[in-house]
Amino acid sequence: MRMLLTALFATAAAVSAWAGPVEDGVARGMKALEARDVVSAMAAFTEVLEADPRNVTAAYERGRLLLVIGEPGNAVADFTTAILGDPGFGRAYVGRAQAKLVLKDAESAIADFDQAIMAAPKDFEVHVARAAFRVRIGNLPGAREDLANAKAVADEATAAKIAQMLERLGAP
């Protein structure tokens, strides 16, 4: 029994020591993002993913950075990692859809936009993202529907801004 407790405490200490640097790396990456320091953010998130390849936050944030710097293929991989770690993370599906659009894979992007809505129906940003896509492809009725859904789940101030977007799109 004593050996079992010793092993249990040793394992708990090792896990605690391992989690600390990962959490610190995510925090450093987020702080670098706030400061608009892309290089430091990328380094921090990469460091986290080397220590914990399934870290959802680091994978999502690095995916966003990869998309911005013109690496859509690598972004798809990171967004997929985030989705596998949290299948309800609608914004990760949106990021992957946007990366797939850059890669000219519209059919798969549409599926990801749809999955984003199913995964996070109460996240107004996923509705707005799909609405923007639908505007670009000329599907104004679909865009209006997405914006109406976004308005329904957004806070009051955001809903007012979404209402303005709806007005600009005109009545059906």
Side-chain angles (χ1 to χ4, degrees), residues 57-74:
T57 302
Y60 172 73
E61 295 297 343
R62 189 174 76 173
R64 288 180 40 195
L65 290 170
L66 288 165
L67 188 55
V68 167
I69 66 168
E71 295 281 339
N74 290 327

Side-chain angles (χ1 to χ4, degrees), residues 2 9 13 21 25 35 38 40 45 52 59 73-74 77 86-87 102 106 114 125 132 134 149 154-156 161 165 172:
R2 186 175 191 184
F9 285 121
V38 174
S40 295
F45 295 132
D52 178 9
N74 290 327
D86 181 359
V102 174
D114 293 343
E125 288 191 22
R134 285 178 161 179
N149 290 334
D155 62 73
E156 190 175 325
K161 291 177 185 175
M165 288 182 215

